[in-house]
Amino acid sequence: MNDGVLSVENINKSFGGVHALKDVSMQIRGGEVHCLSGENGSGKSTLIKIISGYYKPDSGKICVDGNEYREMTPAESINHGIQVIYQDFSLFPNLSVMENLSINAEAARGSKIISYKRMRETALRAVEKINLKIDMKAKVADLSVADRQMTAIARALVHDAKVIIMDEATASLTRNEVNCLFKVIHQLKEEGVAIVFVSHKLDEVFEISDSITIFRNGMNVVSCKASEINEERFSYYMTGREIQSTQEKPLVGDSSRIMLETKNLTVEGAFEDVSIQLYKGEIFGIAGQLGSGRTELAMTLFGMADIKSGEILMEGNPIKISSVQKAKQLKIGYVPEDRLTEGLFLEQALVENVAVTHLADLSSKAGFYHKKEAEEETTQWIDTLSISPRNRNNLAQKLSGGNQQKVVLAKWLACNPSILILNGPTVGVDIGAKQDIYDLLNQYASQGMSIIIASDDILEIKKLCNRVAVMKGGKINAFLCGEEVTEQALIEASI
Ligand code: ADP
Ligand code: MG
């Protein structure tokens, strides 16, 4: 045995022909935040499900509290204080917060009589532990994602958890919400709880972790202290390849050619008095947290909002971008933040997704579109963007987040826009795919495309943008340029 509260040794697990975990060992100590990282499909969730008793391992053992198990049942796992918060939180949407927090504990009592008083007390104790301010009567279905997340954490605490495993808990949270979650994690850590934090977002991982384990292809490729690894090494372990940006410094663009300009632009309830200029061949950054107005500004430039006052100029000429149709005519493209609902037809094949925006170009006058051309074009994009798997007939929903985002990008690049606006371009995207997307944007910008990136990912903005407008509370709070674009300056101006 060892000093960890929880460890696994030489775990193997296959699903049919897929060897999902290969001889995996790792150890988790109390009072530490242990980040488990790895690209999609590397085996993280499978290991978690083995620890929670959901799957049986083919071989290996699980050690907890001095006991060794060849396999664990879900009840044993919970009794040892192991709690898992899955990405979908597995809450009951139709029940109230109070019921969600207390129903398991109440059921475990085995009493035939349900005591609402007792349930309320259980629920209150749980929310107090994390100082959660929440309406106990609210239906979970009506909560924000962040509140659902917090409810799931509070529920884990009902059972006096020793180990809390969060499987991609931050995937759908904004930066502000992540900050709140991190506060709670710090507090749990102080109390000696071990946190396993599954994420592949570099900035978050380095901010919160004490230890890091990285999986690749079902193997534990490294377990070490967070201080022993840097971002380059981290990326290397995740992907197995040295990730080198082809573009070391952000592109500067041609300041003598202003492609798009806003003058004192105001959209009621969203932002006011915004004046920015986009140079030809640059990647301009609009930084800012959720609610800062950055998303609304990006959407306005794509014709998705009513302008109250101010104006927009394109290459010096005043224009009206009154609709998405108009924006497309002006050769403006837009990659939305929420690609799952706005950017992709999930139930359609890649070929339809890529071809759909410029179907008109591929259509004959009779209105029927050239299947073969669309197919050839899609295959080309699959190659250019290294979309995997390389099958244009795959449904979009079958792809990982990073590959879905590449499809959305391909769809817009295929229209050959002169201005491309991207909102949160790499949210939920693997590190390898992220770099591919950055390289691609740099490549297009250096060929003369003008690009705007709206993002709350500070590292992303810093990496790509030479000039940045930082928004806060619906206004531009700072303009940063060149050397001024530092993490510190971006954070200070946005909060
Ligand atoms: P991660 O959580 O790191 O994204 P997973 O643990 O979900 O990865 O998946 C690891 C591998 O195991 C993948 O190849 C996945 O397709 C496969 N896999 C996971 N669960 C199952 C299952 N229930 N049936 C078949 N294959 C599975
Ligand atoms: Mg997973």
Side-chain angles (χ1 to χ4, degrees):
M1 261 314 283
N2 44 54
D3 59 349
V5 284
L6 171 69
S7 62
V8 294
E9 285 174 31
N10 306 103
I11 297 276
N12 280 283
K13 176 73 186 171
S14 293
F15 299 101
V18 181
H19 199 167
L21 292 175
K22 299 166 192 153
D23 249 349
V24 166
S25 302
M26 70 182 278
Q27 208 187 95
I28 295 145
R29 290 179 196 82
E32 78 164 0
V33 178
H34 196 123
C35 168
L36 176 56
S37 222
E39 297 202 306
N40 287 323
S42 58
K44 305 179 298 289
S45 295
T46 303
L47 181 69
I48 290 168
K49 287 175 182 161
I50 283 174
I51 295 173
S52 68
Y54 189 84
Y55 290 148
K56 289 181 188 173
D58 300 335
S59 62
K61 61 185 179 189
I62 305 156
C63 311
V64 51
D65 282 344
N67 302 297
E68 280 187 20
Y69 293 89
R70 288 283 154 202
E71 62 187 72
M72 269 207 289
T73 64
E76 280 164 342
S77 181
I78 290 170
N79 288 337
H80 281 298
I82 298 169
Q83 284 287 325
V84 181
I85 299 168
Y86 294 100
Q87 198 173 343
D88 62 2
F89 312 142
S90 33
L91 296 166
F92 302 106
N94 292 321
L95 299 184
S96 70
V97 171
M98 191 271 273
E99 289 161 330
N100 265 284
L101 289 175
S102 55
I103 200 155
N104 286 343
E106 188 64 21
R109 298 179 64 93
S111 155
K112 284 209 182 100
I113 303 156
I114 288 180
S115 158
Y116 272 89
K117 180 159 172 285
R118 198 164 50 215
M119 283 176 75
R120 208 181 145 70
E121 282 164 9
T122 306
L124 279 174
R125 260 200 315 279
V127 296
E128 268 165 20
K129 282 192 192 159
I130 54 170
N131 284 320
L132 176 62
K133 309 266 175 294
I134 196 164
D135 176 6
M136 285 284 187
K137 294 197 198 86
K139 228 167 77 170
V140 161
D142 299 331
L143 297 179
S144 69
V145 180
D147 280 341
R148 261 181 265 168
Q149 168 82 67
M150 290 303 174
T151 305
I153 294 174
R155 188 180 59 174
L157 296 176
V158 166
H159 305 272
D160 289 325
K162 282 198 208 104
V163 180
I164 297 184
I165 304 175
M166 302 184 187
D167 196 356
E168 310 224 18
T170 57
S172 42
L173 297 186
T174 65
R175 186 58 230 196
N176 258 337
E177 293 163 350
V178 171
N179 289 344
C180 293
L181 176 65
F182 281 4
K183 270 200 204 127
V184 173
I185 290 181
H186 278 296
Q187 190 188 325
L188 292 168
K189 195 174 125 172
E190 298 278 292
E191 291 164 17
V193 177
I195 310 280
V196 180
F197 182 78
V198 180
S199 171
H200 44 66
K201 293 187 190 169
L202 264 179
D203 52 340
E204 293 178 4
V205 168
F206 281 100
E207 190 178 332
I208 196 77
S209 316
D210 301 304
S211 318
I212 294 179
T213 290
I214 301 174
F215 281 7
R216 188 168 72 237
N217 294 330
M219 282 179 283
N220 178 346
V221 287
V222 68
S223 274
C224 64
K225 291 212 180 77
S227 56
E228 291 167 356
I229 189 171
N230 63 15
E231 287 177 18
E232 275 73 41
R233 284 289 92 189
F234 186 92
S235 308
Y236 173 71
Y237 285 123
M238 290 248 300
T239 59
R241 60 188 166 111
E242 299 283 351
I243 295 194
Q244 283 229 315
S245 173
T246 45
Q247 182 72 34
E248 281 307 324
K249 279 198 151 180
L251 293 161
V252 174
D254 179 357
S255 60
S256 69
R257 291 194 60 191
I258 298 169
M259 294 301 291
L260 194 69
E261 178 171 12
T262 69
K263 286 188 176 164
N264 310 101
L265 201 63
T266 298
V267 166
E268 202 146 11
F271 58 85
E272 59 182 317
D273 212 15
V274 167
S275 302
I276 57 169
Q277 296 182 330
L278 172 65
Y279 301 161
K280 188 174 173 64
E282 77 167 340
I283 303 178
F284 182 81
I286 303 174
Q289 302 200 308
L290 191 88
S292 64
R294 82 181 136 83
T295 294
E296 291 81 356
L297 176 57
M299 289 169 78
T300 304
L301 297 176
F302 191 59
M304 292 193 279
D306 288 329
I307 292 164
K308 186 182 167 211
S309 58
E311 58 177 342
I312 304 179
L313 298 92
M314 207 170 178
E315 294 189 84
N317 305 310
I319 47 157
K320 292 234 180 310
I321 313 177
S322 47
S323 67
V324 169
Q325 224 44 47
K326 190 70 201 288
K328 287 182 190 163
Q329 279 166 19
L330 292 165
K331 293 215 128 328
I332 301 176
Y334 181 73
V335 177
E337 187 165 37
D338 188 354
R339 59 183 168 266
L340 293 186
T341 56
E342 297 173 53
L344 278 178
F345 296 101
L346 288 171
E347 275 136 47
Q348 294 197 6
L350 296 196
V351 57
E352 272 102 30
N353 272 289
V354 172
V356 75
T357 307
H358 69 136
L359 220 51
D361 298 346
L362 294 172
S363 303
S364 73
K365 284 209 175 87
F368 118 100
Y369 89 103
H370 296 290
K371 191 152 181 276
K372 193 147 178 296
E373 278 176 47
E375 283 178 353
E376 278 168 11
E377 205 192 299
T378 305
T379 302
Q380 267 179 23
W381 284 111
I382 288 174
D383 289 341
T384 312
L385 299 186
S386 343
I387 293 170
S388 131
R390 290 189 71 252
N391 181 354
R392 64 182 177 230
N393 296 317
N394 263 340
L395 301 187
Q397 63 192 14
K398 290 267 161 85
L399 270 55
S400 71
N403 283 296
Q404 286 179 344
Q405 187 66 326
K406 287 180 179 177
V407 175
V408 181
L409 255 181
K411 160 179 144 175
W412 282 106
L413 292 173
C415 305
N416 192 25
S418 55
I419 296 170
L420 183 63
I421 303 166
L422 302 103
N423 193 3
T426 60
V427 172
V429 169
D430 276 350
I431 215 167
K434 212 169 182 172
Q435 191 58 51
D436 288 344
I437 290 172
Y438 293 164
D439 286 343
L440 195 83
L441 294 177
N442 276 319
Q443 184 195 321
Y444 274 85
S446 61
Q447 288 162 9
M449 191 181 283
S450 307
I451 298 177
I452 295 179
I453 285 196
S455 175
D456 65 354
D457 183 337
I458 281 164
L459 295 177
E460 174 165 291
I461 293 270
K462 196 184 94 174
K463 198 165 198 164
L464 292 175
C465 307
N466 180 56
R467 298 191 313 130
V468 181
V470 188
M471 295 191 71
K472 183 185 152 189
K475 289 190 173 143
I476 292 182
N477 195 33
F479 274 108
L480 305 171
C481 182
E483 303 284 302
E484 295 163 9
V485 186
T486 62
E487 279 163 57
Q488 189 62 22
L490 286 165
I491 291 171
E492 273 170 18
S494 59
I495 53 178

